[in-house]
Amino acid sequence: MSQHILTAVAWPYANGPRHIGHVSGFGVPSDVFSRYQRMAGNKVLMVSGTDEHGTPIQVQADKEGLTARELADRYNRVIVEDLQALGLSYDLFTRTTTENHYAVTQEIFKGLHANGYIFPQTTMGAISPSTGRTLPDRYIEGTCPICGYESARGDQCDNCGNQLDPIQLIDPVSKVNGETPIFVETEHFMLDLPAFAEVLASWLSSKEGDWRPNVLKFALNMLGDMHPRAISRDLDWGVPIPLEGWDDQANKRLYVWFDAVIGYLSASIEWARRSGDPEAWRRWWQDPEALGYYFMGKDNIVFHAEIWPAMLLGYNGQGARDGEPGSLGALNLPSEVVSSEFLTMEGRKFSSSRSVVIYVRDFLERYDADALRYYIAVAGPENQDTDFTWSEFLNRNNGELVAAWGNLVNRSISMAAKNFGVIPEAGELTDADRAMLERSRAAFPKVAVEFEHCRFKNATNEAFEVIREANRYLAEQEPWKIKDDPARVKTILHVALQVVDDAKTLLTPVLPNSSNKIYAMLGGTGVWTGMPEIQEVTDDDGRTYPIITGSYDDGAARWESSPIRVGFPLAPPTPLFVKLDPKIVEEELARLGE
């Protein structure tokens, strides 16, 4: 039975282009999952956008001689173009500077405030002595007062995982310019996280066995250190606070982390409006049978496994103070938080300032999108920190995509085209033929289970086992040596082409571009799997901006083995993948900074 599945993808920050480490965490895994779910017959809503508020945007804008809005506009477009080129099938990729997002964010704030889960409090805020601006928590580093880690951030220690306030740090310094921040009294609104400790503990405990162990363990460990958390900042760039006496203050805005997580909901509401059915979003957010999967890197676990669920619970009136749902109605909590670990590059952390980085755009100018998608699927940081190396990328491209998969497609179609000109019919099947066809069909439920549980590495490897067996099958049957039995040659090539078609389907979530090519080679009509497109749209304030969207349900892709089209005319195929020169390793290493 078809289900409504929300794929909520972490919002990339619009202070610069995104690199391959970013898309290995939030981008490719979420798209692989969504494409599989659509093929399985489920109704997927995949949403995200650029995160555009907060001090880091202002800091980068100052560096580039731009206003915060101009900077956000620039990098919003860069990120949209890059993610679309990577083939990420967003139903809507938008931004947090829309009128719609402001309205939805303010509604969530008002619902939480009405239920008593937001309250004002005088706190000590970190200020830059040279600029007078508020310093965001993440832009302050110092020694953790709990574990002694020397590079703890002002919001969280990555070593022990505890939440922090900047004033707690020992010897704090600004990451912007190295100066020591000053702390001054300021009034802010706080989210009462302790009011959700009990209900969050019960909710998280119910996820045992379903979530990735690293995510659940981290989230459960955080429950013992919950304290009220500021959701406003002394800043003029962000969503205004929607309360009398606060809404007209030029230097008070909602904190960027608070409005960013609300983006999943606001993007769903914007998508519904643009689809022509303004209430359509409710099928993903209020149907008790709907599922919601949230994709991000591990540094965002606390926001998605604790803070966002707490905000939803508070808006629903389900915390320690109870309450009533806000005007939007009760909203679904996440079904699963799918967090990836970190990707490093040649043994080092990604660092734009040190040129230890490759941006998505630069990668795609030199290499195929499917090659990057494949690498992330089979060698990415799914459940442990992983190192990207150019030598491994070369080996996987040449040894697996080209020599295994591309070779199977090329020689199967080439031999059939040369000998018969069409997809041949099968004659009497031998035991080897039946075993090969059964092995191919049997992979569908196996791979499906892995995709459903977000185990993309296992899913891709299982599909490639079919490809390897098919190559062995052809090597053993040797149809090129059979001169006096054309019926047997037809049968062997029919079996090979059927397996090629099956493998194309199994790999579609990971390799949509090459799967579309194979679909056309074997006689498919129309679109196999939809690809994203960029549209220019106009906001309520008259501002034009790009979105990613697409018609993904119109494609023919289904999660099943379908009989190939016997008699369809075949042409000699063009290579699916480019074999890379080993010299690229040396060339790419030379581009990296020391």
Side-chain angles (χ1 to χ4, degrees), residues 186-214:
T186 183
E187 189 172 28
H188 284 301
F189 279 102
M190 313 292 288
L191 176 64
D192 190 5
L193 286 174
F196 304 102
E198 185 175 341
V199 66
L200 279 175
S202 176
W203 175 69
L204 286 168
S205 296
S206 72
K207 304 301 181 181
E208 186 74 43
D210 293 330
W211 286 20
R212 290 179 176 175
N214 61 315

PDB file of all heavy atoms in Angstrom, residues 186-214:
ATOM      1  N   THR A 186      21.796  40.931  27.819  1.00  0.00           N
ATOM      2  CA  THR A 186      20.813  41.140  26.765  1.00  0.00           C
ATOM      3  C   THR A 186      19.620  40.231  27.033  1.00  0.00           C
ATOM      4  O   THR A 186      19.776  39.175  27.665  1.00  0.00           O
ATOM      5  CB  THR A 186      21.412  40.852  25.382  1.00  0.00           C
ATOM      6  OG1 THR A 186      20.445  41.139  24.363  1.00  0.00           O
ATOM      7  CG2 THR A 186      21.833  39.384  25.257  1.00  0.00           C
ATOM      8  N   GLU A 187      18.458  40.634  26.594  1.00  0.00           N
ATOM      9  CA  GLU A 187      17.265  39.824  26.815  1.00  0.00           C
ATOM     10  C   GLU A 187      16.942  39.025  25.564  1.00  0.00           C
ATOM     11  O   GLU A 187      16.934  39.573  24.456  1.00  0.00           O
ATOM     12  CB  GLU A 187      16.057  40.693  27.201  1.00  0.00           C
ATOM     13  CG  GLU A 187      14.858  39.871  27.661  1.00  0.00           C
ATOM     14  CD  GLU A 187      13.731  40.722  28.216  1.00  0.00           C
ATOM     15  OE1 GLU A 187      13.616  41.885  27.794  1.00  0.00           O
ATOM     16  OE2 GLU A 187      12.954  40.222  29.061  1.00  0.00           O
ATOM     17  N   HIS A 188      16.706  37.734  25.767  1.00  0.00           N
ATOM     18  CA  HIS A 188      16.381  36.860  24.651  1.00  0.00           C
ATOM     19  C   HIS A 188      15.240  35.921  25.017  1.00  0.00           C
ATOM     20  O   HIS A 188      14.953  35.701  26.201  1.00  0.00           O
ATOM     21  CB  HIS A 188      17.602  36.030  24.232  1.00  0.00           C
ATOM     22  CG  HIS A 188      18.609  36.808  23.458  1.00  0.00           C
ATOM     23  ND1 HIS A 188      18.319  37.427  22.270  1.00  0.00           N
ATOM     24  CD2 HIS A 188      19.916  37.087  23.711  1.00  0.00           C
ATOM     25  CE1 HIS A 188      19.394  38.044  21.815  1.00  0.00           C
ATOM     26  NE2 HIS A 188      20.374  37.858  22.679  1.00  0.00           N
ATOM     27  N   PHE A 189      14.633  35.367  23.986  1.00  0.00           N
ATOM     28  CA  PHE A 189      13.643  34.322  24.201  1.00  0.00           C
ATOM     29  C   PHE A 189      14.349  32.978  24.262  1.00  0.00           C
ATOM     30  O   PHE A 189      15.294  32.714  23.508  1.00  0.00           O
ATOM     31  CB  PHE A 189      12.602  34.316  23.084  1.00  0.00           C
ATOM     32  CG  PHE A 189      11.530  35.350  23.279  1.00  0.00           C
ATOM     33  CD1 PHE A 189      11.549  36.534  22.557  1.00  0.00           C
ATOM     34  CD2 PHE A 189      10.517  35.148  24.202  1.00  0.00           C
ATOM     35  CE1 PHE A 189      10.581  37.496  22.746  1.00  0.00           C
ATOM     36  CE2 PHE A 189       9.541  36.098  24.393  1.00  0.00           C
ATOM     37  CZ  PHE A 189       9.568  37.283  23.666  1.00  0.00           C
ATOM     38  N   MET A 190      13.873  32.141  25.171  1.00  0.00           N
ATOM     39  CA  MET A 190      14.468  30.825  25.388  1.00  0.00           C
ATOM     40  C   MET A 190      13.435  29.741  25.078  1.00  0.00           C
ATOM     41  O   MET A 190      12.240  29.885  25.407  1.00  0.00           O
ATOM     42  CB  MET A 190      14.924  30.675  26.836  1.00  0.00           C
ATOM     43  CG  MET A 190      15.715  31.852  27.375  1.00  0.00           C
ATOM     44  SD  MET A 190      17.336  32.035  26.598  1.00  0.00           S
ATOM     45  CE  MET A 190      18.198  30.636  27.344  1.00  0.00           C
ATOM     46  N   LEU A 191      13.894  28.653  24.448  1.00  0.00           N
ATOM     47  CA  LEU A 191      13.069  27.460  24.273  1.00  0.00           C
ATOM     48  C   LEU A 191      13.299  26.573  25.490  1.00  0.00           C
ATOM     49  O   LEU A 191      14.436  26.208  25.803  1.00  0.00           O
ATOM     50  CB  LEU A 191      13.457  26.720  22.993  1.00  0.00           C
ATOM     51  CG  LEU A 191      12.733  25.394  22.720  1.00  0.00           C
ATOM     52  CD1 LEU A 191      11.245  25.605  22.521  1.00  0.00           C
ATOM     53  CD2 LEU A 191      13.345  24.699  21.500  1.00  0.00           C
ATOM     54  N   ASP A 192      12.233  26.215  26.174  1.00  0.00           N
ATOM     55  CA  ASP A 192      12.328  25.465  27.429  1.00  0.00           C
ATOM     56  C   ASP A 192      12.526  23.976  27.140  1.00  0.00           C
ATOM     57  O   ASP A 192      11.610  23.161  27.313  1.00  0.00           O
ATOM     58  CB  ASP A 192      11.078  25.697  28.268  1.00  0.00           C
ATOM     59  CG  ASP A 192      11.209  25.135  29.682  1.00  0.00           C
ATOM     60  OD1 ASP A 192      12.318  24.655  30.019  1.00  0.00           O
ATOM     61  OD2 ASP A 192      10.221  25.157  30.424  1.00  0.00           O
ATOM     62  N   LEU A 193      13.718  23.604  26.734  1.00  0.00           N
ATOM     63  CA  LEU A 193      14.001  22.208  26.396  1.00  0.00           C
ATOM     64  C   LEU A 193      13.758  21.243  27.563  1.00  0.00           C
ATOM     65  O   LEU A 193      13.275  20.126  27.337  1.00  0.00           O
ATOM     66  CB  LEU A 193      15.431  22.069  25.882  1.00  0.00           C
ATOM     67  CG  LEU A 193      15.681  22.587  24.458  1.00  0.00           C
ATOM     68  CD1 LEU A 193      17.160  22.515  24.123  1.00  0.00           C
ATOM     69  CD2 LEU A 193      14.872  21.810  23.434  1.00  0.00           C
ATOM     70  N   PRO A 194      14.086  21.593  28.818  1.00  0.00           N
ATOM     71  CA  PRO A 194      13.828  20.645  29.912  1.00  0.00           C
ATOM     72  C   PRO A 194      12.368  20.226  30.022  1.00  0.00           C
ATOM     73  O   PRO A 194      12.081  19.135  30.528  1.00  0.00           O
ATOM     74  CB  PRO A 194      14.293  21.420  31.157  1.00  0.00           C
ATOM     75  CG  PRO A 194      15.353  22.334  30.640  1.00  0.00           C
ATOM     76  CD  PRO A 194      14.864  22.759  29.283  1.00  0.00           C
ATOM     77  N   ALA A 195      11.457  21.046  29.531  1.00  0.00           N
ATOM     78  CA  ALA A 195      10.038  20.697  29.586  1.00  0.00           C
ATOM     79  C   ALA A 195       9.698  19.524  28.672  1.00  0.00           C
ATOM     80  O   ALA A 195       8.597  18.964  28.758  1.00  0.00           O
ATOM     81  CB  ALA A 195       9.179  21.903  29.220  1.00  0.00           C
ATOM     82  N   PHE A 196      10.633  19.133  27.812  1.00  0.00           N
ATOM     83  CA  PHE A 196      10.390  18.036  26.877  1.00  0.00           C
ATOM     84  C   PHE A 196      11.258  16.814  27.184  1.00  0.00           C
ATOM     85  O   PHE A 196      11.213  15.835  26.444  1.00  0.00           O
ATOM     86  CB  PHE A 196      10.662  18.499  25.443  1.00  0.00           C
ATOM     87  CG  PHE A 196       9.871  19.705  25.036  1.00  0.00           C
ATOM     88  CD1 PHE A 196      10.470  20.959  24.998  1.00  0.00           C
ATOM     89  CD2 PHE A 196       8.531  19.596  24.728  1.00  0.00           C
ATOM     90  CE1 PHE A 196       9.744  22.077  24.646  1.00  0.00           C
ATOM     91  CE2 PHE A 196       7.793  20.702  24.372  1.00  0.00           C
ATOM     92  CZ  PHE A 196       8.401  21.959  24.331  1.00  0.00           C
ATOM     93  N   ALA A 197      12.028  16.873  28.258  1.00  0.00           N
ATOM     94  CA  ALA A 197      12.974  15.790  28.539  1.00  0.00           C
ATOM     95  C   ALA A 197      12.273  14.444  28.661  1.00  0.00           C
ATOM     96  O   ALA A 197      12.724  13.435  28.097  1.00  0.00           O
ATOM     97  CB  ALA A 197      13.765  16.096  29.811  1.00  0.00           C
ATOM     98  N   GLU A 198      11.175  14.402  29.380  1.00  0.00           N
ATOM     99  CA  GLU A 198      10.498  13.124  29.616  1.00  0.00           C
ATOM    100  C   GLU A 198       9.873  12.573  28.339  1.00  0.00           C
ATOM    101  O   GLU A 198      10.047  11.395  28.008  1.00  0.00           O
ATOM    102  CB  GLU A 198       9.421  13.298  30.697  1.00  0.00           C
ATOM    103  CG  GLU A 198       8.754  11.990  31.093  1.00  0.00           C
ATOM    104  CD  GLU A 198       7.767  12.161  32.242  1.00  0.00           C
ATOM    105  OE1 GLU A 198       7.858  13.180  32.954  1.00  0.00           O
ATOM    106  OE2 GLU A 198       6.908  11.266  32.422  1.00  0.00           O
ATOM    107  N   VAL A 199       9.161  13.409  27.610  1.00  0.00           N
ATOM    108  CA  VAL A 199       8.489  12.923  26.401  1.00  0.00           C
ATOM    109  C   VAL A 199       9.520  12.590  25.315  1.00  0.00           C
ATOM    110  O   VAL A 199       9.340  11.634  24.542  1.00  0.00           O
ATOM    111  CB  VAL A 199       7.439  13.941  25.903  1.00  0.00           C
ATOM    112  CG1 VAL A 199       8.078  15.234  25.437  1.00  0.00           C
ATOM    113  CG2 VAL A 199       6.587  13.343  24.788  1.00  0.00           C
ATOM    114  N   LEU A 200      10.621  13.353  25.253  1.00  0.00           N
ATOM    115  CA  LEU A 200      11.669  13.029  24.283  1.00  0.00           C
ATOM    116  C   LEU A 200      12.338  11.704  24.611  1.00  0.00           C
ATOM    117  O   LEU A 200      12.649  10.914  23.711  1.00  0.00           O
ATOM    118  CB  LEU A 200      12.719  14.146  24.251  1.00  0.00           C
ATOM    119  CG  LEU A 200      12.394  15.385  23.419  1.00  0.00           C
ATOM    120  CD1 LEU A 200      13.493  16.432  23.606  1.00  0.00           C
ATOM    121  CD2 LEU A 200      12.222  15.050  21.943  1.00  0.00           C
ATOM    122  N   ALA A 201      12.559  11.451  25.909  1.00  0.00           N
ATOM    123  CA  ALA A 201      13.180  10.185  26.311  1.00  0.00           C
ATOM    124  C   ALA A 201      12.313   9.007  25.894  1.00  0.00           C
ATOM    125  O   ALA A 201      12.811   7.989  25.396  1.00  0.00           O
ATOM    126  CB  ALA A 201      13.408  10.170  27.816  1.00  0.00           C
ATOM    127  N   SER A 202      11.011   9.135  26.085  1.00  0.00           N
ATOM    128  CA  SER A 202      10.094   8.064  25.696  1.00  0.00           C
ATOM    129  C   SER A 202      10.074   7.883  24.188  1.00  0.00           C
ATOM    130  O   SER A 202      10.108   6.751  23.682  1.00  0.00           O
ATOM    131  CB  SER A 202       8.686   8.391  26.210  1.00  0.00           C
ATOM    132  OG  SER A 202       7.757   7.420  25.779  1.00  0.00           O
ATOM    133  N   TRP A 203      10.040   9.000  23.461  1.00  0.00           N
ATOM    134  CA  TRP A 203       9.999   8.947  22.004  1.00  0.00           C
ATOM    135  C   TRP A 203      11.285   8.343  21.436  1.00  0.00           C
ATOM    136  O   TRP A 203      11.244   7.460  20.570  1.00  0.00           O
ATOM    137  CB  TRP A 203       9.779  10.357  21.458  1.00  0.00           C
ATOM    138  CG  TRP A 203       9.834  10.476  19.973  1.00  0.00           C
ATOM    139  CD1 TRP A 203       8.935   9.988  19.069  1.00  0.00           C
ATOM    140  CD2 TRP A 203      10.845  11.139  19.211  1.00  0.00           C
ATOM    141  NE1 TRP A 203       9.327  10.303  17.785  1.00  0.00           N
ATOM    142  CE2 TRP A 203      10.489  11.013  17.848  1.00  0.00           C
ATOM    143  CE3 TRP A 203      12.001  11.841  19.551  1.00  0.00           C
ATOM    144  CZ2 TRP A 203      11.266  11.552  16.827  1.00  0.00           C
ATOM    145  CZ3 TRP A 203      12.777  12.374  18.533  1.00  0.00           C
ATOM    146  CH2 TRP A 203      12.407  12.234  17.186  1.00  0.00           C
ATOM    147  N   LEU A 204      12.430   8.793  21.928  1.00  0.00           N
ATOM    148  CA  LEU A 204      13.700   8.275  21.437  1.00  0.00           C
ATOM    149  C   LEU A 204      13.873   6.793  21.767  1.00  0.00           C
ATOM    150  O   LEU A 204      14.367   6.015  20.947  1.00  0.00           O
ATOM    151  CB  LEU A 204      14.862   9.084  22.021  1.00  0.00           C
ATOM    152  CG  LEU A 204      15.064  10.483  21.439  1.00  0.00           C
ATOM    153  CD1 LEU A 204      16.045  11.283  22.286  1.00  0.00           C
ATOM    154  CD2 LEU A 204      15.558  10.414  19.997  1.00  0.00           C
ATOM    155  N   SER A 205      13.448   6.392  22.951  1.00  0.00           N
ATOM    156  CA  SER A 205      13.577   4.984  23.333  1.00  0.00           C
ATOM    157  C   SER A 205      12.773   4.081  22.416  1.00  0.00           C
ATOM    158  O   SER A 205      13.144   2.925  22.179  1.00  0.00           O
ATOM    159  CB  SER A 205      13.130   4.795  24.784  1.00  0.00           C
ATOM    160  OG  SER A 205      13.981   5.504  25.672  1.00  0.00           O
ATOM    161  N   SER A 206      11.684   4.599  21.874  1.00  0.00           N
ATOM    162  CA  SER A 206      10.854   3.804  20.964  1.00  0.00           C
ATOM    163  C   SER A 206      11.522   3.564  19.620  1.00  0.00           C
ATOM    164  O   SER A 206      11.061   2.739  18.829  1.00  0.00           O
ATOM    165  CB  SER A 206       9.502   4.494  20.742  1.00  0.00           C
ATOM    166  OG  SER A 206       9.634   5.649  19.923  1.00  0.00           O
ATOM    167  N   LYS A 207      12.629   4.280  19.347  1.00  0.00           N
ATOM    168  CA  LYS A 207      13.323   4.149  18.069  1.00  0.00           C
ATOM    169  C   LYS A 207      14.438   3.098  18.110  1.00  0.00           C
ATOM    170  O   LYS A 207      15.129   2.886  17.109  1.00  0.00           O
ATOM    171  CB  LYS A 207      13.922   5.498  17.656  1.00  0.00           C
ATOM    172  CG  LYS A 207      12.908   6.637  17.582  1.00  0.00           C
ATOM    173  CD  LYS A 207      11.794   6.336  16.584  1.00  0.00           C
ATOM    174  CE  LYS A 207      10.810   7.488  16.495  1.00  0.00           C
ATOM    175  NZ  LYS A 207       9.707   7.194  15.540  1.00  0.00           N
ATOM    176  N   GLU A 208      14.616   2.455  19.244  1.00  0.00           N
ATOM    177  CA  GLU A 208      15.646   1.429  19.382  1.00  0.00           C
ATOM    178  C   GLU A 208      15.474   0.351  18.314  1.00  0.00           C
ATOM    179  O   GLU A 208      14.393  -0.198  18.138  1.00  0.00           O
ATOM    180  CB  GLU A 208      15.571   0.788  20.766  1.00  0.00           C
ATOM    181  CG  GLU A 208      16.683  -0.184  21.078  1.00  0.00           C
ATOM    182  CD  GLU A 208      18.001   0.509  21.351  1.00  0.00           C
ATOM    183  OE1 GLU A 208      17.997   1.533  22.062  1.00  0.00           O
ATOM    184  OE2 GLU A 208      19.030   0.015  20.836  1.00  0.00           O
ATOM    185  N   GLY A 209      16.544   0.067  17.572  1.00  0.00           N
ATOM    186  CA  GLY A 209      16.494  -0.949  16.527  1.00  0.00           C
ATOM    187  C   GLY A 209      16.098  -0.416  15.173  1.00  0.00           C
ATOM    188  O   GLY A 209      16.278  -1.101  14.158  1.00  0.00           O
ATOM    189  N   ASP A 210      15.546   0.799  15.137  1.00  0.00           N
ATOM    190  CA  ASP A 210      15.134   1.392  13.864  1.00  0.00           C
ATOM    191  C   ASP A 210      16.132   2.428  13.370  1.00  0.00           C
ATOM    192  O   ASP A 210      16.425   2.506  12.184  1.00  0.00           O
ATOM    193  CB  ASP A 210      13.751   2.045  13.999  1.00  0.00           C
ATOM    194  CG  ASP A 210      12.654   1.033  14.247  1.00  0.00           C
ATOM    195  OD1 ASP A 210      12.783  -0.111  13.784  1.00  0.00           O
ATOM    196  OD2 ASP A 210      11.664   1.389  14.923  1.00  0.00           O
ATOM    197  N   TRP A 211      16.663   3.234  14.288  1.00  0.00           N
ATOM    198  CA  TRP A 211      17.597   4.283  13.900  1.00  0.00           C
ATOM    199  C   TRP A 211      19.016   3.752  13.847  1.00  0.00           C
ATOM    200  O   TRP A 211      19.330   2.730  14.460  1.00  0.00           O
ATOM    201  CB  TRP A 211      17.533   5.422  14.908  1.00  0.00           C
ATOM    202  CG  TRP A 211      16.305   6.280  14.822  1.00  0.00           C
ATOM    203  CD1 TRP A 211      15.105   5.960  14.249  1.00  0.00           C
ATOM    204  CD2 TRP A 211      16.157   7.600  15.350  1.00  0.00           C
ATOM    205  NE1 TRP A 211      14.225   6.995  14.382  1.00  0.00           N
ATOM    206  CE2 TRP A 211      14.842   8.016  15.060  1.00  0.00           C
ATOM    207  CE3 TRP A 211      17.002   8.463  16.041  1.00  0.00           C
ATOM    208  CZ2 TRP A 211      14.361   9.270  15.444  1.00  0.00           C
ATOM    209  CZ3 TRP A 211      16.523   9.708  16.414  1.00  0.00           C
ATOM    210  CH2 TRP A 211      15.223  10.112  16.120  1.00  0.00           C
ATOM    211  N   ARG A 212      19.879   4.470  13.134  1.00  0.00           N
ATOM    212  CA  ARG A 212      21.292   4.140  13.154  1.00  0.00           C
ATOM    213  C   ARG A 212      21.798   4.274  14.593  1.00  0.00           C
ATOM    214  O   ARG A 212      21.512   5.267  15.275  1.00  0.00           O
ATOM    215  CB  ARG A 212      22.069   5.086  12.238  1.00  0.00           C
ATOM    216  CG  ARG A 212      21.792   4.840  10.752  1.00  0.00           C
ATOM    217  CD  ARG A 212      22.553   5.816   9.868  1.00  0.00           C
ATOM    218  NE  ARG A 212      22.326   5.493   8.457  1.00  0.00           N
ATOM    219  CZ  ARG A 212      22.784   6.229   7.440  1.00  0.00           C
ATOM    220  NH1 ARG A 212      23.503   7.317   7.681  1.00  0.00           N
ATOM    221  NH2 ARG A 212      22.534   5.878   6.189  1.00  0.00           N
ATOM    222  N   PRO A 213      22.537   3.297  15.083  1.00  0.00           N
ATOM    223  CA  PRO A 213      22.960   3.298  16.489  1.00  0.00           C
ATOM    224  C   PRO A 213      23.709   4.556  16.908  1.00  0.00           C
ATOM    225  O   PRO A 213      23.525   5.052  18.023  1.00  0.00           O
ATOM    226  CB  PRO A 213      23.855   2.058  16.587  1.00  0.00           C
ATOM    227  CG  PRO A 213      23.372   1.151  15.504  1.00  0.00           C
ATOM    228  CD  PRO A 213      22.961   2.066  14.381  1.00  0.00           C
ATOM    229  N   ASN A 214      24.549   5.092  16.005  1.00  0.00           N
ATOM    230  CA  ASN A 214      25.309   6.289  16.367  1.00  0.00           C
ATOM    231  C   ASN A 214      24.396   7.483  16.630  1.00  0.00           C
ATOM    232  O   ASN A 214      24.641   8.299  17.520  1.00  0.00           O
ATOM    233  CB  ASN A 214      26.329   6.631  15.268  1.00  0.00           C
ATOM    234  CG  ASN A 214      25.677   6.927  13.918  1.00  0.00           C
ATOM    235  OD1 ASN A 214      24.785   6.205  13.472  1.00  0.00           O
ATOM    236  ND2 ASN A 214      26.120   7.968  13.261  1.00  0.00           N
TER     237      ASN A 214
END
